[in-house]
């Protein structure tokens, strides 16, 4: 990297030194200033990236600690994280995993989540839980409806394929009988023609 930076520096100095209004010393000074600014910007960007990564790690650690402190298996941080990752890697399997996790959410899960908050009254807890349960049930009903529709379409396609297979078998059997009768008539005609010829 240092050699590459030195080549870049020397190339820049050579380019600037070609100008008639700039000496080689001035070109070197200008290049040094530009490279110093570049290095400062790169360092600042790296510091910002490290701060953002540290902040994200802190937020995820707080979320992990919070979810795990609720002591509810359906809210276990690593499981939720695994399901979300699976949703991005394999949407169908991830959707099934999240559907399974949502189906394990009951009133006790929601009470555990909301009771951990000091700023929510008991009346608000019950109202919020009713709304969340309603939304959860609606999502699960839609997912079941979609799954049933998909299964119905698969069954319809299987039935159509079976019917087409049976129709093809009947047509093949009918065609073979026609061929048999045609061959029998041809043979009879040949025998009859042979008898007449004799």
């Amino acid at each position: 990297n240092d050699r590459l930076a030195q080549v870049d520096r020397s190339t820049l100095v050579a380019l600037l030194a070609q100008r008639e209004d700039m000496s080689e010393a001035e070109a070197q000074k200008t290049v040094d200033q530009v490279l110093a600014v570049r290095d400062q910007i790169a360092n600042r960007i790296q510091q910002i990236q490290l701060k953002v990564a540290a902040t994200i790690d802190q937020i995820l650690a707080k979320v992990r600690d919070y979810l795990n402190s609720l002591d509810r298996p359906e809210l276990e941080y690593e499981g939720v994280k695994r399901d979300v990752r699976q949703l991005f890697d394999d949407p169908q399997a991830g959707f099934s995993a999240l559907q399974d996790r949502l189906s394990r959410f009951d009133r006790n899960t929601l009470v555990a989540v909301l009771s951990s908050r000091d700023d929510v009254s008991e009346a608000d807890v019950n109202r919020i839980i009713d709304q969340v349960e309603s939304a959860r049930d609606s999502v699960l009903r839609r997912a079941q409806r979609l799954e049933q529709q998909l299964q119905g379409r698969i069954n319809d396609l299987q039935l159509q394929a079976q019917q087409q297979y049976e129709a093809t078998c009947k047509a093949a059997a009918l065609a073979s009988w026609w061929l048999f009768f045609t061959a029998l008539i041809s043979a009879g005609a040949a025998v009859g023609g042979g008898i007449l010829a004799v």
Side-chain angles (χ1 to χ4, degrees), residues 1 10-11 21 51 56 63 73 138 143-144 147 157 182 195-196:
N1 286 341
S10 60
T11 302
D21 61 336
K51 285 181 182 178
I56 290 172
V63 169
S138 174
Q144 289 171 346
E147 193 172 338
L157 289 173
T182 304
I195 292 175
L196 288 175

Side-chain angles (χ1 to χ4, degrees), residues 58-192:
Q58 288 174 351
I59 291 170
L60 290 177
K62 286 180 182 179
V63 169
R64 181 189 64 233
D65 293 344
Y66 173 71
L67 290 177
N68 291 341
S69 73
L70 296 173
D71 202 26
R72 300 292 303 183
E74 63 274 16
L75 293 175
E76 185 252 336
Y77 176 78
E78 289 301 322
V80 172
K81 181 178 167 183
R82 183 179 54 250
D83 291 349
V84 171
R85 278 193 180 155
Q86 188 175 26
L87 183 63
F88 288 111
D89 294 341
D90 182 1
Q92 185 174 1
F95 178 73
S96 295
L98 286 176
Q99 182 181 1
D100 179 54
R101 186 169 296 280
L102 274 177
S103 68
R104 289 185 277 148
F105 278 44
D106 58 7
R107 194 166 189 91
N108 293 333
T109 304
L110 300 172
V111 167
V113 170
L114 293 174
S115 297
S116 68
R117 305 270 318 238
D118 296 332
D119 58 341
V120 181
S121 70
E122 188 174 339
D124 288 339
V125 166
N126 288 320
R127 184 179 49 77
I128 292 169
I129 288 174
D130 290 342
Q131 290 174 351
V132 170
E133 283 182 329
S134 174
R136 180 205 60 197
D137 293 344
S138 174
V139 168
L140 288 175
R141 277 193 305 271
R142 282 187 208 151
Q144 289 171 346
R145 208 170 32 243
L146 285 173
E147 193 172 338
Q148 288 170 353
Q149 288 174 353
L150 180 61
Q151 189 60 46
R153 287 181 184 167
I154 289 172
N155 291 341
D156 289 346
L157 289 173
Q158 288 174 339
L159 182 62
Q160 287 175 1
Q162 181 66 29
Q163 289 171 345
Q164 287 178 353
Y165 171 74
E166 290 172 1
T168 303
C169 287
K170 287 178 183 177
L174 185 61
S176 66
W177 279 111
W178 276 107
L179 285 174
F180 174 74
F181 286 128
T182 304
L184 188 62
I185 291 172
S186 295
V191 168

